[in-house]
């Protein structure tokens, strides 16, 4: 018998197309799995309003569940409560760091970050905190571009939202 | 005008502001003065377009005639768009674009700060989500106004020119018409008078730091919210709507 846990496990195959080490759950994009009148409803929430990866993720959810033989399901997108990087799991943050992207700082520090006062973003390579921001916007809307003043390597920082 | 009509107009205004602003900024793609700022502008443009999608989808539901976000974006003519005139002004040089963003982003920020508490659940939800992104936009454009205003003689002059040219389009942001009044009375829309005050304070603060002189013009252009647009709108739509109009049956 299909359970929500089973579906959750199947959905762990669905990753962010831009950052393939992160699953939907790691991102905090997967909000809920419930059953209503015999249909499984998978609820997701978009990261940034214009994030082009969301459609791909939705298609991938369809693909993943269909490949496991599930057909009575639908994917719903909700806007509220609005997605925040606080929902990113600890595991997700670790994976980001290993992948070479500096993970977002927590909410308590986020106002500082928003005001550009985050001087303690550590370099994913050499771990130095002697880094500075080059641009508020990096390779994608969700990332800012930083450079390490010690090892001189540039790196992406997953912005706090 | 009844509440439902006002609500539709209200959502179209929000959607069209985002859509046209997003489109204008996307015109910079590949033409930015330096790579990081080219990328910054198009990322901001993407935010705007994403927000437009949310607003125009809601508009379609409110209208109840089956129109989708794409129908609104690609099949309306200039006189049917409800964006503020400032959003359709040309990109000009980098300073013109930044100044346009600065004046609009500041308004957009304070507007969304109020709308996140709207009695209309969906409007509140879209506003709450958009606000976080708009906060980054406002920070970005404010910083650049300061950098360029308090920059070289050339950059300072260009920013002052931009400010002087765009100022006449700022009044429209705060002019409350019947739609705004109905929405405010319903607890759905924002009080534009209050927003004007905080907007003016922030603008003054940034301009001072940027060593720029706030224009003294007291006459303002208007009409965008009612569908009376500048000549630029035609050119914008000709480009933006070309593909779906030329190939109506095309699919991705």
């Amino acid at each position: 018998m299909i359970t929500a846990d089973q579906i959750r496990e199947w959905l762990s195959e669905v990753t962010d197309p831009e950052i393939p080490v992160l699953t939907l759950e790691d991102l905090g994009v997967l909000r809920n799995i419930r059953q209503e009148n015999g249909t499984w409803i998978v609820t997701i929430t978009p990261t940034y309003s214009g994030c082009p990866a969301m459609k791909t993720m939705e298609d991938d959810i369809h693909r993943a569940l269909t490949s496991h033989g599930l057909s009575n399901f639908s994917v719903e997108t909700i806007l509220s409560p609005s997605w925040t990087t606080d929902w990113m799991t600890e595991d997700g943050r670790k994976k980001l760091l290993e992948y070479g992207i500096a993970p977002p700082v927590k909410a308590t520090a986020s106002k500082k970050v928003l005001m550009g006062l985050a001087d303690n973003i550590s370099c994913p390579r050499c771990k130095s905190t002697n880094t500075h921001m080059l641009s508020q916007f990096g390779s994608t809307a969700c990332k800012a571009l930083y450079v390490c003043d010690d090892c001189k390597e540039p790196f992406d920082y997953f912005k706090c939202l | 005008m009844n509440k439902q009509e006002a609500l539709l107009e209200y959502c179209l205004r929000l959607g069209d502001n985002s859509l046209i602003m997003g489109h204008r900024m996307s015109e910079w793609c590949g033409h930015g003065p330096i790579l990081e700022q080219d990328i910054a502008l198009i990322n901001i443009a993407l935010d705007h377009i994403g927000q437009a999608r949310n607003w125009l989808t809601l508009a379609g539901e409110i209208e109840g005639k089956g129109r989708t976000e794409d129908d609104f974006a690609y099949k309306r003519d200039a006189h049917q768009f409800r964006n503020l005139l400032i959003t359709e002004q040309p990109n000009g040089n980098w300073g013109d674009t930044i100044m346009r963003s600065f004046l609009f982003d500041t308004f957009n920020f304070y507007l969304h700060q109020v709308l996140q508490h709207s009695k209309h659940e969906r409007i509140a939800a879209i506003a709450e989500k958009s606000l976080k992104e708009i906060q980054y936009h406002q920070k970005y454009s404010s910083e650049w106004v300061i950098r360029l205003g308090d920059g070289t003689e050339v950059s300072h002059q260009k920013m002052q020119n931009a400010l002087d040219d765009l100022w006449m389009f700022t009044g429209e942001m705060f002019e409350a018409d019947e739609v705004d009044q109905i929405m405010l009375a319903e607890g759905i829309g924002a009080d534009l008078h209050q927003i004007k005050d905080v907007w003016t304070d922030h603008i003054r603060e940034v301009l001072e730091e940027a060593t720029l002189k706030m224009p003294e013009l007291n006459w303002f252009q208007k009409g965008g919210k009612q569908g009376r647009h500048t000549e630029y709108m035609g050119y914008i739509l000709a480009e933006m709507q070309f593909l779906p109009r030329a190939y109506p049956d095309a699919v991705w």
Side-chain angles (χ1 to χ4, degrees), chain A residues 47-117:
Chain A
T47 51
Y48 279 71
S49 297
C51 178
M54 292 309 299
K55 181 68 171 63
T56 307
M57 285 194 250
E58 201 179 313
D59 291 343
D60 287 346
I61 290 174
H62 274 271
R63 225 185 313 261
L65 296 182
T66 307
S67 77
H68 285 286
L70 196 68
S71 56
N72 54 327
F73 69 91
S74 73
V75 180
E76 75 169 1
T77 300
I78 55 169
L79 287 182
S80 182
S82 53
W83 182 79
T84 159
T85 45
D86 287 355
W87 291 347
M88 191 177 286
T89 62
E90 267 316 304
D91 210 31
R93 283 161 208 274
K94 265 194 221 113
K95 288 182 197 170
L96 262 185
L97 193 59
E98 273 160 23
Y99 189 68
I101 298 174
V105 299
K106 290 289 194 145
T108 45
S110 78
K111 285 252 148 47
K112 248 186 117 196
V113 178
L114 202 60
M115 294 307 119
L117 301 170

Side-chain angles (χ1 to χ4, degrees), chain A residues 46-47 49 83 114 138 141 160, chain B residues 39 43 129 132-133 136 139:
Chain A
T47 51
S49 297
W83 182 79
L114 202 60
C160 214
Chain B
I39 289 172
N43 270 313
K129 182 168 189 58
K132 301 193 215 189
E133 296 158 9
Y136 275 117
K139 180 167 188 299

